[in-house]
Amino acid sequence: MAKKILLVEDSNTVRQQVGILLSGAGYSILEADNGRDAVATVSAHKADLAMIIADVNMPVMNGIEMLESLRDKGLASGVPILMLTTEGQPELIDKARKAGAKGWIIKPFKPDLLLAAVRKLAGEP
């Protein structure tokens, strides 16, 4: 069975690009377009999630708020979270790490580097 990754991204284009990359590598993809929907999806699928890839800047609930909500609800333990964002400020990266993020990749991303990070955090599909 393919490893399941939750992709949290408000941009349809980026969701599609990352989804195609990861599906082509053998992963199964769940999608959410904001942090609030992601928290609900994690709650429903936590037992079989291999990892979460999330943007920072999203409507409704941003990626940092999502990390904090997952941590506060005890939903993020054991599920590696990779931030994929245009943001690169050290204070945001530090805040994300403190809230539970295991990695940070800045957009535009190189597909081979993203796939290498996913394989490292989630394992092979």
Side-chain angles (χ1 to χ4, degrees), residues 56-57 64 85 87-97 104:
V56 170
N57 296 317
I64 302 294
T85 180
E87 300 293 339
Q89 298 93 333
E91 55 277 355
L92 266 183
I93 295 170
D94 187 53
K95 189 172 184 179
R97 287 195 194 282
W104 190 280

Side-chain angles (χ1 to χ4, degrees), residues 83-89 93 104-110:
M83 305 307 289
L84 179 63
T85 180
T86 57
E87 300 293 339
Q89 298 93 333
I93 295 170
W104 190 280
I105 294 178
I106 297 176
K107 298 179 208 168
F109 63 93
K110 293 184 178 178

Side-chain angles (χ1 to χ4, degrees), residues 17 23 25 44 52 54 59 67 103 112:
Q17 289 172 333
S23 295
I52 299 166
L67 284 170
D112 57 331

